[in-house]
Amino acid sequence: MTDIQHDRLLIIDFGSQVTQLIARRLRELNVYCEIHPFQSVTAGFLESFAPKAVIFSGGPASVVHLDAPRPPAAVFDLGVPILGICYGQQVMMDMLGGKVEGGKISGGGGTAEFGRAHVTPEDSLPLLDGWFADGREQVWMSHGDHVSQLAPGFQVYGTSPNAPFAITADTSRNFYAVQFHPEVHHTPKGAKLYENFVRLAGFKGDWTMGAYREEAIRKIREQVGDKRVICGLSGGVDSSVAAVLIHEAIGDQLTCVFVDHGLLRKGEADEVTAMFRDNYNIPLIAADESKLFLSELDGQSDPETKRKIIGKLFIDVFQKYANDIDGAEFLAQGTLYPDVIESVSFSGGPSVTIKSHHNVGGLPEKMGLRLVEPLRELFKDEVRALGRELGLPDSFIGRHPFPGPGLAIRCPGEITIAKLDILREADAVYIDQIRKHGLYDDIWQAFVAILPVRTVGVMGDGRTYDYACALRAVTSVDGMTADYFPFSHEFLAETATRIINEVPGINRVTYDITSKPPGTIEWE
Ligand code: XMP
C-alpha cells in the first residue's frame, strides 16, 4: 500500500469491467484513490488504509449465492461515507438487512437489465445535486440481480421502469447505493454524482501533480536510502518520466541504461541521449549493441522467433551493463496503474504478466534487484502531466508509442541492414509529412512498415524493381483497439510521391486501412 499522505478513497473491486473508470473519474476530481480487490480488503487492511470514503464496485457475482464476494462487515463501522454501485449496491443491501432477488442469470426469476435506462427522482438528495434539471437522467444499467427490499434506514431517491431501487440512500449514515454505473460514458451526468459524493465525504480535491511529485520524491528517498538505482530507458514517455523523477529524488545514485539495438528510428538514439544529457545531466550509459542484435536476428523471419531473440538479448545486455554499476540494489520501472490493476484483477490473479516493461522482464529476480515504481498510481495521461510538471519538453511527452522490438516488427520477414536503412528513411519522411500537416497529435501512432516484397515500377525512362512499403496511422485510446486514421487523398498522394522520390529502394506506397481488431497496430 502507498503511504501517500492525502485523504484517500478506497475502491473495493468486486470484478467489474469498469472499475478502473471509477478511479479515473475520482482522479479527475483531484481525489486520491486506490483500487483493491475484495479478497485483500480485511478488517486490518481497512484500519491501516484509513479511507475517508469507500466505493463498492460492480461485479459479475450474485449475492444470492453463498460464496458471493463480500467486504468485511467492519467497513460499515468505519463511520465514513460508502457508495455501492450495481453489485456494490446489492452486497450492501444484503449485508445490512435488505433483500436481493436473483435474475435469470443467477437462477432466479427476476428480470435482468442491460443498457440505457432513464431514472426519475423520488425525493431530493445532496448526492444528486445538479441532476434531473430535465426531469430525468439517462443512466447505464448492467445487472442480472436486483434489490427487492431495502435495508432498514434506506430510502428510495430515484427509480427507473425496471429498477424501483435505482437510487437509494441512508443519509443518517451517509451510505449511498445505486443500481446503475455512474462511471461510464453512457451515464452522461455520472461524473457529477461522484463529485457530489466526494464533496459529501469532505475531500479537499488537493491531489495535484505537484503534490504527487513531492510525495513521490519523498517516498523514493525513503525506499532507496543511499543505495544505487538502475533504470532501463526505452526512449518512451513512461521510463523517461520515471527516470527524471527518480533523478530529482536521489541525483547521481541513479544510472540509466539506453540500449540501441539497431532497430531504432532515424536519429532516435541521439535524440534520447541528448534529451537526457543536455536537460538533466543524468548519468547515462548509451549502449550501442546494434551489431549483437542484428547478427542474432540475421536470417530469422518468424515473428515470434524475432521477438524472443530481442527479448532475451535485452535482458543479457542490460544485465551486462548493470553488473558494472557498483552497489545497484534497485531497478526502476515505469509501471503504470493499469498494469498494476491487471496484476490484481478479480479474475486474473496476481500472475498476469505486465507487458509494458518486457525489456527488462525477469531481471529483478535474476539479479536480486528490488523494484522502484514511482508511477504505479498513475494513468498514461497523468504520467504525461507529471512529465510536464517535471519539465520534460512537450515534444518528448507527446511522442507516439514505440515498441520495444522497434523496427524489427515493422519489417516482416528477414531483417537486413539495407532494409532497415530504407525503412528509417521512409519513416522519417512520413512523420515529417504528418508533422507538417499538423496531424501528429491527432494520431495515436504512425509508422512505415517495409514489406517483404519487391515490385516492378517505372521511374523516368527506366524500370525499377524495389520494395513496397505500407503506411500505418491509427487513432486509439489505449492501443487495445484502433481505427485507421482518415488521411485526405491529397495527403496520401503527396506523401507517397515524397517517399518514392526521396527514398531510394522504395517504388510503391500503400496505406493500411485495417482497424484493430481484426488487424493489429504493428505488422508483426
Ligand atoms: P499491436 O500491434 O499489438 O500493438 O496492436 C499495440 C500497441 O503495443 C505496441 N507493441 C509493443 N510494445 N513491445 C512493446 O513495448 C512489444 O513487443 C510490442 N508489440 C506491440 C504497439 O506499438 C502499439 O502501440
Side-chain angles (χ1 to χ4, degrees), residues 28 59 88 161 166 255:
E28 282 162 6
T255 303

Side-chain angles (χ1 to χ4, degrees), residues 303-499:
E304 273 313 293
T305 310
K306 282 155 73 175
R307 277 174 178 273
K308 287 204 177 101
I309 291 172
I310 294 167
K312 179 185 171 299
L313 287 178
F314 254 127
I315 295 183
D316 291 351
V317 166
F318 197 78
Q319 184 158 16
K320 181 177 88 179
Y321 288 93
N323 283 342
D324 291 341
I325 299 166
D326 255 0
E329 289 193 14
F330 291 92
L331 176 76
Q333 294 198 329
T335 314
L336 304 192
Y337 199 65
D339 304 329
V340 178
I341 299 279
E342 256 178 47
S343 68
V344 294
S345 70
F346 181 81
S347 52
S351 61
V352 177
T353 312
I354 293 173
K355 64 182 173 199
S356 54
H357 292 278
H358 72 289
N359 293 7
V360 288
L363 198 70
E365 301 84 53
K366 251 181 155 176
M367 294 185 62
L369 295 170
R370 283 172 284 162
L371 288 174
V372 185
E373 295 180 313
L375 311 181
R376 275 175 74 88
E377 284 106 8
L378 302 183
F379 289 87
K380 187 94 181 171
D381 54 339
E382 292 170 322
V383 170
R384 292 199 159 115
L386 177 61
R388 277 187 206 102
E389 178 77 31
L390 288 163
L392 274 105
D394 264 350
S395 57
F396 201 84
I397 287 170
R399 280 160 69 111
H400 290 172
F402 186 64
L407 300 183
I409 57 176
R410 298 175 179 176
C411 185
E414 278 189 37
I415 297 171
T416 64
I417 291 177
K419 273 162 85 177
L420 287 175
D421 286 342
I422 295 171
L423 175 54
R424 263 189 276 270
E425 290 304 320
D427 194 75
V429 172
Y430 181 42
I431 297 299
D432 183 57
Q433 277 287 102
I434 288 173
R435 284 195 189 281
K436 275 196 178 137
H437 284 257
L439 299 172
Y440 190 84
D441 293 336
D442 299 337
I443 293 170
W444 160 268
Q445 210 170 5
F447 56 87
V448 176
I450 184 163
L451 306 185
V453 56
R454 292 205 288 169
T455 67
V456 174
V458 52
M459 278 178 92
D461 290 327
R463 174 187 190 270
T464 58
Y465 188 57
D466 285 332
Y467 287 106
C469 74
L471 311 181
R472 185 85 166 125
V474 295
T475 54
S476 177
V477 175
D478 50 15
M480 304 295 286
T481 58
D483 287 317
Y484 75 90
F485 187 79
F487 286 124
S488 67
H489 281 281
E490 292 73 24
F491 173 90
L492 289 170
E494 187 183 300
T495 306
T497 305
R498 268 197 68 190
I499 290 176

Side-chain angles (χ1 to χ4, degrees), residues 225-259:
D226 58 0
K227 302 292 184 293
R228 297 186 70 94
V229 180
I230 51 175
C231 177
L233 284 184
S234 66
V237 178
D238 305 343
S239 61
S240 302
V241 170
V244 171
L245 182 69
I246 294 168
H247 186 250
E248 208 163 293
I250 58 167
D252 285 358
Q253 286 163 253
L254 170 73
T255 303
C256 291
V257 182
F258 176 71
V259 178

